[in-house]
């Protein structure tokens, strides 16, 4: 995982993907490897692959707030505002103090229902 993080830090996506793929071959139940690969795919604008990896992450660790944040961000970019809002609310149920989820949920609440008068 350190090698993958180093490669990601250097923007060497191919090396990072290779390391994460190998990690998952060695330990397919390692939720964080799935999440890191989801993050890498997201950063490469490969949202379908990112969604598949998020699904794998959450099947192994249903309370993985980072994976849920990634899912919500993809849903928001796909203009699925209600689903994104619901997912941000799930994040907040796990990690109530996460400012980015609070901000996103507030922004989407205003967008979905309109501003409070």
């Amino acid at each position: 995982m350190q090698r993958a993080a180093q490669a990601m830090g250097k923007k060497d996506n191919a090396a990072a993907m290779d390391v994460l793929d190998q990690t998952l071959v060695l330990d397919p139940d390692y939720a964080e490897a799935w999440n890191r690969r989801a993050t890498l795919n997201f950063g490469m604008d490969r949202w379908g692959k990112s969604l598949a990896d998020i699904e794998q992450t959450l099947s192994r660790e249903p309370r993985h707030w980072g994976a849920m944040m990634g899912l919500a961000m993809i849903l928001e970019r796909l203009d699925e505002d209600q689903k994104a809002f619901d997912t941000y609310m799930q994040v907040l149920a796990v990690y109530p103090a996460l400012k980015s989820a609070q901000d996103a949920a507030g922004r989407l609440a205003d967008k979905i229902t309109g501003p409070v008068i």
Side-chain angles (χ1 to χ4, degrees), residues 55-111:
E55 182 179 339
Q56 292 294 324
T57 303
L58 293 174
S59 73
R60 288 160 176 79
E61 180 52 65
R63 295 174 50 88
H64 195 295
W65 59 267
M68 286 189 274
M69 281 295 292
L71 174 59
M73 290 166 55
I74 292 171
L75 290 169
E76 194 170 353
R77 289 181 183 197
L78 294 173
D79 294 323
E80 295 282 350
D81 293 336
Q82 184 64 55
K83 289 179 183 177
F85 174 79
D86 294 343
T87 305
Y88 285 125
M89 295 306 292
Q90 290 175 349
V91 170
L92 291 171
V94 173
Y95 189 173
L98 186 61
K99 180 85 168 98
S100 58
Q102 293 170 354
D103 292 345
R107 181 183 66 251
L108 284 176
D110 287 346
K111 188 175 179 183

Side-chain angles (χ1 to χ4, degrees), residues 20-64:
L20 292 168
D21 288 345
Q22 290 179 36
T23 301
L24 289 167
V25 167
L26 293 172
D27 189 355
D29 288 325
Y30 187 28
E32 190 55 32
W34 288 106
N35 184 62
R36 292 272 178 102
R37 197 169 79 171
T39 302
L40 181 58
N41 278 315
F42 180 86
M44 297 167 65
D45 291 330
R46 294 166 29 172
W47 297 349
K49 290 184 178 198
S50 183
L51 284 170
D53 288 344
I54 289 168
E55 182 179 339
Q56 292 294 324
T57 303
L58 293 174
S59 73
R60 288 160 176 79
E61 180 52 65
R63 295 174 50 88
H64 195 295

